[in-house]
Structure formats: structure tokens, C-alpha cells
Amino acid sequence: METNFQFRELPFSTQLAILSFSLGTFILILHCVFPEAFVIMVIGFGYLLMATLINFITLLHVIYLFSKEKNTEDLVIRILLLLSNIPIAILYAYIALHN
């Protein structure tokens, strides 16, 4: 069985969750490779603030859609994907601050 995965066909909230996780992981890896580079810490902190704001606004929008639609299984999955980035971001921040 062959699947053709198209990132562009995913809902925006799913794309955002995947992109937020990927960029956060990339910044953490950069920090681990170059632990003395203060600019990476500044970029990482700025990214954390910006990603938190954008993900929170998207989460509020998906929760709003959840209250309006009858078929909510897909929306629950989207909400869980967005919420799954919270403990990951906390873990990454802990690693970066204690590295």
C-alpha cells in the first residue's frame, strides 16, 4: 500500500503543531551543539514566546469550531495535537536552561 503524504492538505492547526515542534527541536539541537552561543538562547526565547502566542490563538479558534460543529472527532485530535506541544516546550526550555 502506497501513501502520498501531502503536508499542504493537512488542517492549519495540524500544520502549525508539526511546524512548531520541528522548529523548536531544531533550535534545541542548535543550542546543544553551540551551548555558548547566547544568540541561539535569545532566538529560542523569542521563538518560544511567538509560538506560544500563535498556538494559543489557533487553539482558541479550534475550540470555537468545536463548540459550533456536530462532527467533532477531527477537532478533538487537532486540539490534542496543539496541546501536546506544551509539555514538549517546557521540557525543551528546561533542557536549554540547565545545559
Side-chain angles (χ1 to χ4, degrees), residues 38-59:
F38 183 71
V39 70
I40 294 174
M41 286 290 283
V42 171
I43 290 170
F45 184 70
Y47 172 74
L48 181 65
L49 292 177
M50 187 173 41
T52 300
L53 178 65
I54 294 170
N55 278 289
F56 181 71
I57 291 169
T58 304
L59 178 64

Side-chain angles (χ1 to χ4, degrees), residues 4-41:
N4 188 8
F5 178 73
Q6 294 291 327
F7 185 75
R8 285 179 270 163
E9 294 174 5
L10 293 173
F12 173 74
S13 58
T14 305
Q15 290 178 355
L16 181 63
I18 293 170
L19 189 63
S20 295
F21 173 76
S22 301
L23 287 175
T25 302
F26 178 72
I27 292 171
L28 178 67
I29 290 170
L30 276 179
H31 173 69
C32 289
V33 171
F34 305 106
E36 299 300 320
F38 183 71
V39 70
I40 294 174
M41 286 290 283

Side-chain angles (χ1 to χ4, degrees), residues 73-85:
E73 182 179 340
D74 182 51
L75 294 174
V76 169
I77 293 171
R78 290 191 219 174
I79 290 170
L80 291 174
L81 275 172
L82 285 169
L83 290 175
S84 69
N85 276 331

